[in-house]
Every structure is written in structure tokens, then in C-alpha cells.
Amino acid sequence: MTMPKKTLLLLCMLVMFSGRGAAEEYAWQFEAGSDAMSWKALNAYPERDAGGFTLVRQDDPFWFVSPPNLNIAPGSSYIEFRLKAPETYLLGYVIVKTRDNRSWQEEFTLGLPGAFHVYRIDLSKGNRTASPIDSVAFAFGKVDRVSFDYVRIYQPSFVQLLRIFWSDFCDVRLASATTVNFVSTPLIAGYSFLAPLYVLLLLAALCLIALRRPVRADSVTKALILACVVAGTLFALRMDYTWYLQWRADRASLGGGSVDERISRAEGTGAFDFAQSVKQAIPAGGTVRIFAGVLEGKVKYYLLPIKVSASAPFIAVYRDPAISFDPADKTLNKDDVVVATNAELLTTLGKDGFLYRSSGGGNP
């Protein structure tokens, strides 16, 4: 029995496309001691457990750094890794360094706690100079421990790319903890799900119009209404799936905790916990100055209703590397500028927070 020419041609095309773009794969399996030990843990120590290779945080942030001089061709555009963390909502970062000494970072949100998840990130968008990749690193902040299974960098074939697009569509990015929480629409090939949905709507409308001949105004109207109902139903089902997984994440991570515990976990940077400590440390009716770097806005928000004033006697400092305290001169400095004189350290608030009191001036 001979195979039809059209079927044979289709199979040949599938084979050709499935191999297209295949390139050398760089992979590290961390259950193997040699692979795990070729990477470097910074501000963390490695630990062996039943799940394989685990990093335990000693300081913030802690990093997991690949061997140097990888010289990975820029065509190897995807990094894929599988890891498990005890918290969700928090951000992790992939930092990429190229041979021309450029670096950038890509962020990802940790999935449901206590289970392994696969993450894929397209690195080609950040590599603007198309330089070979010299090294990669993973950075984590408030997460206590992270278990790694594997890391691989590769250029996907056509079939692998289709699988990635489908996986991106099915994956759910959890709600962003902002003043108004939201969930994002799913992506297909880097584009919002709405884009192909509009195309589907148009095609469905055209097909319905063609079936309802002769073409009249009422048939066109009915076709458009039906197409909108179909497209809207598909969108609603997919977004309901997102909210269902969001509910699962909330239940797994926040269930049983107090309101403050839930806010602290969802906020993730420690700004909420620091603000609560400041509220307890200063007297009623007191005002405070805040130095918290990029987190200053969050700290001020969580401090409400305590007033923030540029001339306040209390000065709260949280994770701001620009601030330094000189106990000999009793000055608080921001870079080279004195922001408070006759200052004294009242107390430390956690590991990264400090509360000072000043009876002198300075440049606010």
C-alpha cells in the first residue's frame, strides 16, 4: 500500500519544521553532584534532601550563579528551569551577562508553594547586541529556601516552540500585589490572548455570514452577535480558570493566617512588617521621616495614619544603601549629604530596618 503524495509531503514538512532551529543545549541536572557543585551559591548554603539540591538563604538577596565563560550562542534564546519554593507571590529574577559585559534581568513570580514548577523565559528580547551569553544567575530575596531540579538554555525547535506557546497560554500569572490587584490575560507567542480572539471573532462572523445566505442586514447582525457571544464565552472561561488557580494559590499560601500575616506574605518585600514595627516603636502622635530607597512609597502607605514629615524627629531607614550613620559625629548621611545631626540609634527593626531620633537639622 503506497502512501498518498500529499500525506508524504505533509510528513516531510513536519519533520523539517520539528528540526528547524535546533541548536546545542546547555543543561544542568542538580541531582547530579557535579552539575550542582559547578554553580556557586552566594549568601546561601547548599543542602541535600530527598528532593535533590536545595539552597538555604543566609542573607538578602541570595544568588545562584552559573559557571563563567559559558559562551552560549545568542540563538539559544530560552532558559527553562524547574524549582520549588515555600512561598508564592514573591518575585525571583534571572540575571543574564553577555560577553560584551552587558547584563539585564528577567523576573518571574513563584508558583504555588511546596511544589515544583517549570518556568520558561525568552532571553532574546533582552539581548539587544546579540552577544554570546557569558553567565546566568538566579536571585531571590525573602524566600528562605529554594530547591532546584534542573536548568537548561536552548533554542527550541518548531514543535518545541508550539509547546511553549501552548504552555504560556495554560500557565497562570498570579495577581500582582499593587494598590489595585489584577490578573493578566494569558499570552500566546508573547501576544495577549485577546489578539487571536479578535481574529477568531472575525473569522467566525464571516463563516456565519456565508452560511446564512442570502446576505442581508439582519443575517449580518445575527452573525456578529453569535460570534461575539462565542468569543466572550471563551474569554470568560479562560479568565475564570485564572481566578480559580488564584484562589488555589491564596488558599495554599494565605489560608489560616491573620490579616497582617496575609498582607505580609502577599506584599513580599518586608515593607509592611517594617511599617508595623515603626508604628509600635514611636509614641502616639509622633511623626517620622522615611528613607527606604525604592520601597519608600510602600512604607509610607503602610504607615498610615502616622504622618510623614521632612522635619520629623524620628527617622526610619529600611533597606536604603544610600543612608549611613556616623556614631562618632552623630550624623545621618545620605550619600555625602547630612540629613540629620545629633542623631542616635533607638532600635533595630528586623534585620534591615533602623529607627533613629534626631534633635538637629539637616537637609531633608
Side-chain angles (χ1 to χ4, degrees):
M1 182 176 179
T2 59
M3 185 178 295
K5 291 183 178 181
K6 289 184 178 180
T7 304
L8 183 60
L9 178 61
L10 179 60
L11 289 174
C12 290
M13 290 178 65
L14 286 174
V15 171
M16 178 182 67
F17 281 119
S18 64
R20 179 173 295 180
E24 184 177 359
E25 178 178 296
Y26 301 81
W28 296 269
Q29 296 287 339
F30 293 117
E31 71 270 17
S34 58
D35 280 356
M37 292 301 105
S38 66
W39 287 58
K40 183 182 294 184
L42 301 179
N43 296 336
Y45 66 86
E47 189 178 81
R48 292 288 179 181
D49 56 26
F53 182 77
T54 300
L55 296 174
V56 181
R57 175 171 67 91
Q58 290 182 299
D59 202 358
D60 293 332
F62 72 96
W63 294 53
F64 194 40
V65 186
S66 76
N69 306 316
L70 296 177
N71 197 29
I72 299 175
S76 299
S77 58
Y78 270 85
I79 184 168
E80 178 182 305
F81 48 98
R82 186 171 182 263
L83 61 83
K84 176 178 66 174
E87 294 285 348
T88 187
Y89 308 113
L90 302 183
L91 292 178
Y93 299 90
V94 178
I95 297 93
V96 186
K97 180 177 175 295
T98 56
R99 293 299 297 272
D100 60 357
N101 210 30
R102 286 188 65 257
S103 62
W104 74 95
Q105 68 181 27
E106 304 282 353
E107 67 181 35
F108 60 95
T109 304
L110 296 174
L112 286 173
F116 277 99
H117 298 276
V118 176
Y119 305 86
R120 298 181 188 88
I121 297 175
D122 184 0
L123 302 178
S124 61
K125 297 177 182 178
N127 194 356
R128 299 187 182 93
T129 58
S131 176
I133 295 173
D134 184 73
S135 61
V136 297
F138 296 89
F140 300 92
K142 290 298 181 181
V143 184
D144 288 329
R145 55 196 294 123
V146 175
S147 299
F148 273 92
D149 186 14
Y150 68 83
V151 175
R152 53 193 290 247
I153 303 174
Y154 65 102
Q155 173 64 32
S157 66
F158 179 77
V159 172
Q160 287 175 323
L161 201 58
L162 292 179
R163 290 174 181 168
I164 290 173
F165 292 162
W166 177 250
S167 176
D168 288 344
F169 173 72
C170 294
D171 286 344
V172 169
R173 290 170 290 170
L174 300 180
S176 300
T178 59
T179 52
V180 178
N181 296 345
F182 64 92
V183 294
S184 302
T185 55
L187 301 177
I188 298 179
Y191 296 96
S192 169
F193 173 47
L194 291 174
L197 197 62
Y198 287 140
V199 175
L200 178 64
L201 187 154
L202 179 60
L203 292 176
L206 292 175
C207 290
L208 289 171
I209 291 172
L211 291 173
R212 300 173 70 90
R213 293 181 180 178
V215 178
R216 295 191 301 268
D218 62 332
S219 63
V220 172
T221 301
K222 291 179 180 179
L224 288 174
I225 292 174
L226 286 173
C228 288
V229 169
V230 171
T233 301
L234 291 175
F235 181 74
L237 289 174
R238 179 57 185 80
M239 295 308 293
D240 284 347
Y241 174 70
T242 295
W243 284 115
Y244 165 69
L245 291 188
Q246 178 67 58
W247 171 78
R248 282 182 56 200
D250 290 343
R251 185 186 63 175
S253 182
L254 307 178
S258 66
V259 173
D260 283 355
E261 288 173 339
R262 295 179 185 186
I263 296 174
S264 175
R265 287 187 183 180
E267 188 273 326
T269 65
F272 175 81
D273 297 327
F274 174 72
Q276 303 313 300
S277 299
V278 172
K279 286 182 178 181
Q280 297 174 5
I282 67 174
T287 58
V288 64
R289 277 184 271 175
I290 302 296
F291 294 100
V294 296
L295 297 174
E296 187 168 316
K298 274 194 170 186
V299 173
K300 289 180 179 178
Y301 176 79
Y302 290 125
L303 269 175
L304 292 172
I306 289 180
K307 294 182 179 180
V308 176
S309 170
S311 58
F314 294 98
I315 304 170
V317 179
Y318 181 66
R319 301 177 76 173
D320 191 337
I323 298 295
S324 61
F325 175 58
D326 188 339
D329 294 336
K330 294 186 177 182
T331 59
L332 205 62
N333 308 292
K334 184 172 184 178
D335 295 326
D336 296 327
V337 178
V338 176
V339 295
T341 58
N342 198 22
E344 60 175 326
L345 176 63
L346 292 181
T347 184
T348 58
L349 302 175
K351 187 171 59 176
D352 301 311
F354 306 90
L355 183 65
Y356 301 89
R357 181 169 55 197
S358 169
S359 58
N363 296 314

